[in-house]
Amino acid sequence: MLSGYYGFKNSGDEAVLKSMLTALEEAADAVGAKVEPVVLSGDPEWTTRQYGVESVPRMKLAEVRKALKASDGLISGGGSLLQDATGLGSIPYYLGIMELARWCGKPTFVYAQGIGPVNRAMFKPMIARAFKRARYVSVRDEESAELLRGYGVPASRVEVVPDPVMGLPPGGNGADGIGGAGGEDTLPVVGVSVRFWRSDRADLDRAAAALEALAARGVRARLRFLPFHRGADEDASRYVMERLARAGAYSERELELAPAHDDPQLMLREVGRCALLIGMRLHSLIYAANREAPLLGISYDPKIDQFLQRLGERAIGSTEALDPDAAAERAAGLLSDPGLWRSEKQVVIQKLKEEAAKPAQQIIAFIRK
């Protein structure tokens, strides 16, 4: 059974699920085994149609318990499940599902989670207790591992691995060449991923100012806005697009809004067609690294900075402060020679892809013992 933020059509979380399903299948195939995933979902019918797997309503605990009893174990993750920045419910829910699995006599596994922020002290011993009892624990960055050590989880029990999406294949037969403009347009495509964060939208204004500064430098490009969360990200994208249009920085043909794809591999291929990706969403940056597309991150959360550090990069700014001219200069530099960035990052990206398969391999090995 897989427990996470699934069935809500958030492209990043759906990509995590798709990546985990793919990695588990490959790991099982390698040892002559077969996996039959059961996914806890906010929309079980949609999840079943999308991935061809059994799915159970995540909030109907009687059904969850029944499915757990028929399973060989529970995988919790990936993603940022154990955090209280967005509310008090996430940590008790996900730890509760792990505890329910133990009541059913099933082993639990933590798959490439990002821990925190955890602002309430009462949650820290609860996390430590659950992770000490897990058969296998992996987190997606060293900062998460450090937090767990601070909660009392022994360092020897925690493996640091990349986000699962680093290992997601693009799938399909469509063109996904890096830097391709698509159609007859010869302008380079700059992918842009924005989200709502600040209530006053000053962060989106800063992102727009950086894109205006890029145009002011004489760099012509086609901006393709990539919504990773249906509805909200589409609205955030339109906000920035409308500001750019009013400023006259880009023509109407140079501003596009991509579909909010339900299939994460379709969005992965969208990113693969970009000459540059400027992103607020973590998984927009992970998608870009996966496809070896040059990227620039705008940080709203430490997880952005942590991922960029693994690539030897730093954010061009944050939701609180961003120098438009400095950001435009970095973007123009990458667009002038994207091949240099790829050659510099190719080795570390390949290593991250290989390491992303480790949790699935470990979990299959534990279950087969």
Side-chain angles (χ1 to χ4, degrees), residues 1-4 40-41 56-65 68 73-77 81-82 89-104 106-109 130:
M1 178 173 284
L2 286 81
S3 168
L40 300 184
S41 173
V56 175
R58 71 198 300 267
M59 300 305 293
K60 294 187 177 180
L61 295 186
E63 293 188 40
V64 173
R65 182 172 178 269
L68 270 171
L74 171 78
I75 296 173
S76 179
L81 306 182
L82 300 179
S90 291
I91 294 175
Y93 171 78
Y94 291 112
L95 295 183
I97 294 296
M98 293 179 71
E99 187 66 21
L100 182 60
R102 283 189 289 273
W103 289 347
C104 294
K106 308 300 179 180
T108 58
F109 309 94

Side-chain angles (χ1 to χ4, degrees), residues 217-258:
R217 297 175 70 90
V219 177
R220 295 193 62 226
R222 180 156 58 93
L223 304 187
R224 188 161 174 82
F225 286 76
L226 307 173
F228 276 70
H229 198 298
R230 184 180 298 278
D233 283 13
E234 291 170 307
D235 290 342
S237 296
R238 291 188 188 99
Y239 177 86
V240 176
M241 293 170 70
E242 289 168 4
R243 170 170 167 157
L244 294 173
R246 287 196 304 270
Y250 296 87
S251 67
E252 185 176 336
R253 65 185 285 271
E254 293 170 339
L255 296 171
E256 299 178 345
L257 179 60

Side-chain angles (χ1 to χ4, degrees), residues 167-189:
L168 180 66
N173 299 313
D176 62 342
I178 296 168
E184 298 179 357
D185 195 337
T186 59
L187 294 177
V189 176

Side-chain angles (χ1 to χ4, degrees), residues 61-366:
L61 295 186
E63 293 188 40
V64 173
R65 182 172 178 269
K66 179 179 178 182
L68 270 171
K69 284 191 169 183
S71 77
D72 290 299
L74 171 78
I75 296 173
S76 179
S80 302
L81 306 182
L82 300 179
Q83 51 80 27
D84 58 5
T86 59
L88 295 178
S90 291
I91 294 175
Y93 171 78
Y94 291 112
L95 295 183
I97 294 296
M98 293 179 71
E99 187 66 21
L100 182 60
R102 283 189 289 273
W103 289 347
C104 294
K106 308 300 179 180
T108 58
F109 309 94
V110 178
Y111 198 126
Q113 285 199 27
I115 310 299
V118 180
N119 298 307
R120 295 161 180 84
M122 64 178 180
F123 288 139
K124 298 176 183 180
M126 296 166 61
I127 294 171
R129 178 173 177 267
F131 279 35
K132 287 177 181 177
R133 293 183 172 186
R135 290 285 300 274
Y136 170 76
V137 175
S138 59
V139 294
R140 69 182 180 196
D141 50 64
E142 180 56 39
E143 289 75 9
S144 293
E146 185 176 349
L147 282 177
L148 292 177
R149 290 194 292 270
Y151 301 165
V153 181
S156 60
R157 290 188 51 80
V158 181
E159 184 170 31
V160 179
V161 299
D163 187 285
V165 179
M166 280 302 304
L168 180 66
N173 299 313
D176 62 342
I178 296 168
E184 298 179 357
D185 195 337
T186 59
L187 294 177
V189 176
V190 175
V192 182
S193 164
V194 292
R195 61 161 298 164
F196 289 122
W197 188 251
R198 288 179 57 106
S199 60
D200 61 4
R201 302 192 177 181
D203 47 352
L204 297 181
D205 292 336
R206 294 187 184 100
L211 294 169
E212 289 176 28
L214 180 63
R217 297 175 70 90
V219 177
R220 295 193 62 226
R222 180 156 58 93
L223 304 187
R224 188 161 174 82
F225 286 76
L226 307 173
F228 276 70
H229 198 298
R230 184 180 298 278
D233 283 13
E234 291 170 307
D235 290 342
S237 296
R238 291 188 188 99
Y239 177 86
V240 176
M241 293 170 70
E242 289 168 4
R243 170 170 167 157
L244 294 173
R246 287 196 304 270
Y250 296 87
S251 67
E252 185 176 336
R253 65 185 285 271
E254 293 170 339
L255 296 171
E256 299 178 345
L257 179 60
H261 297 292
D262 287 340
D263 185 341
Q265 288 175 305
L266 291 178
M267 186 63 85
L268 185 61
R269 297 205 293 274
E270 285 269 12
V271 173
R273 288 190 283 266
C274 295
L276 170 66
L277 186 287
I278 301 174
M280 289 177 67
R281 287 282 186 189
L282 171 64
H283 280 99
S284 72
L285 303 172
I286 294 174
Y287 279 32
N290 178 302
R291 304 310 300 144
E292 297 183 15
L295 57 90
L296 294 171
I298 300 173
S299 179
Y300 74 92
D301 185 281
K303 64 186 180 183
I304 304 293
D305 304 286
Q306 292 157 9
F307 175 70
L308 291 173
Q309 286 170 12
R310 299 194 78 163
L311 293 175
E313 295 284 338
R314 294 180 61 184
I316 55 172
S318 71
T319 51
E320 305 305 314
L322 191 156
D323 183 330
D325 293 323
E329 182 178 359
R330 285 184 62 182
L334 289 173
L335 286 169
S336 68
D337 190 1
L340 176 62
W341 186 92
R342 290 185 205 113
S343 64
E344 290 176 345
K345 306 300 180 183
Q346 200 166 44
V347 172
V348 67
I349 288 173
Q350 184 57 39
K351 183 179 179 183
L352 291 175
K353 287 184 176 184
E354 293 170 358
E355 292 177 348
K358 284 185 178 181
Q361 295 165 354
Q362 294 275 39
I363 290 168
I364 294 298
F366 274 116

